[in-house]
Amino acid sequence: MNRWAIAAAAALIGVAGAGAFVGAQREAPAIADRAPGDRPELMLLSSLPIIFSEKFTLAPGKGAGGSMILSRLERRYRMRPIALADSAGLGRGRMLLMAHPRAQTAEALVDLDAWVRGGGRLLLMADPMLDWPSERGLGDPLRPPPGYADTGLLAHWGMALERPAARGPVRAMLDGRPLLLLSPGRLRAPGCTLLAGRIVARCRIGRGAVTVIADADLIDPAQSGKAIGGNLDSVVAELARLETSPAR
């Protein structure tokens, strides 16, 4: 267990804090799984080892499996990985999860903005200080970037992402569900609804809807420890909320 997971575990065992977390978990409504034929498509764009592990090989049983977040999402969605958020990648899709993506081209950002404004639903995990461990060396193009590679999209939507003052675990609540985050940023978004201590922003962009979470380590079980279940519940619940968000 790394030092952030140890610190996170210590933060969770306080009597008052633990009681609040347990109570919140009892009160938050469960998000039901869907039968295979009822699962809508969810596009996924990420630099993180979600579809395959970092040690992926073609040999079975040696790191070829997906992640916990992928397994959880596949109980509600038909997953479609995309390489770029341009018109070709987005196609006719309606739901997109961008989990700490690599920098997008200017052309892709134009397409993504138009897609959202036309009614797209986006959950963006933009981590300004990623703690996710990687065995890939610095400079390796397959290594996740150390911070969210924003090339102007957030500013275009009237948002700004602030780096944390220090590394370490942070507890928060989102719609009655507990979150354990690691070195999350803070968002400034005057036209949006800010939640969880400015870690989460919910915004209406044109006819579409966007939720930004200023952390991506929350979906890494090695970092989140026993709190991973609550974190994944919150991600799935936010996607469900975006799905049913009415178009303007």
Side-chain angles (χ1 to χ4, degrees), residues 12-26 171:
L12 285 171
I13 63 175
V15 174
F21 266 47
V22 171
Q25 287 177 315
R26 282 200 299 264
R171 291 186 302 171

Side-chain angles (χ1 to χ4, degrees), residues 124 126 128 148 150 152-164 184-192 194 197-201 203 212-214:
L124 170 61
Y148 171 62
D150 186 15
L153 181 66
L154 294 182
H156 182 66
W157 286 342
M159 290 184 266
L161 177 63
E162 301 172 351
R163 288 174 59 86
R186 296 296 189 277
L187 292 157
R188 286 188 286 110
C192 304
L194 295 173
R198 294 196 297 121
I199 296 171
V200 178
C203 313
V212 181
I213 302 177

Side-chain angles (χ1 to χ4, degrees), residues 36-232:
D38 296 332
R39 294 170 187 168
E41 181 183 84
L42 174 63
M43 298 176 287
L44 173 65
L45 176 58
S46 180
S47 67
L48 303 172
I50 292 176
I51 300 294
F52 301 111
S53 71
E54 192 174 55
K55 295 181 178 180
F56 171 70
T57 68
L58 295 179
K62 294 186 179 181
S67 61
M68 287 184 68
I69 181 63
L70 179 65
S71 297
R72 184 63 182 277
L73 292 173
E74 286 180 329
R75 287 154 52 183
R76 284 186 56 83
Y77 298 99
R78 290 180 290 105
M79 302 302 296
R80 177 165 71 88
I82 63 174
L84 197 64
D86 59 2
S87 58
L90 295 169
R92 296 180 179 273
R94 183 175 180 270
M95 294 280 297
L96 170 63
L97 170 60
M98 296 179 72
H100 200 66
R102 303 187 191 282
Q104 301 294 291
T105 65
E107 293 80 8
L109 292 179
V110 170
D111 289 349
L112 176 60
D113 178 66
W115 175 82
V116 169
R117 292 181 186 277
R121 302 293 192 267
L122 168 64
L123 175 55
L124 170 61
M125 295 181 185
D127 198 323
M129 189 180 287
L130 189 71
D131 286 311
W132 198 299
S134 175
E135 295 183 8
R136 297 187 180 277
L138 295 174
D140 188 323
L142 296 181
R143 182 186 176 102
Y148 171 62
D150 186 15
T151 50
L153 181 66
L154 294 182
H156 182 66
W157 286 342
M159 290 184 266
L161 177 63
E162 301 172 351
R163 288 174 59 86
R167 291 187 181 274
V170 172
R171 291 186 302 171
M173 298 292 295
L174 181 63
D175 295 340
R177 290 182 174 83
L179 284 173
L180 179 62
L181 310 107
L182 294 177
S183 313
R186 296 296 189 277
L187 292 157
R188 286 188 286 110
C192 304
T193 300
L194 295 173
L195 304 156
R198 294 196 297 121
I199 296 171
V200 178
R202 290 173 178 164
C203 313
R204 296 309 304 254
I205 310 291
R207 296 178 54 235
V210 174
T211 296
V212 181
I213 302 177
D215 185 71
D217 296 304
L218 79 163
I219 60 172
D220 178 16
Q223 302 279 18
S224 301
K226 292 182 178 180
I228 186 64
N231 286 356
L232 298 186

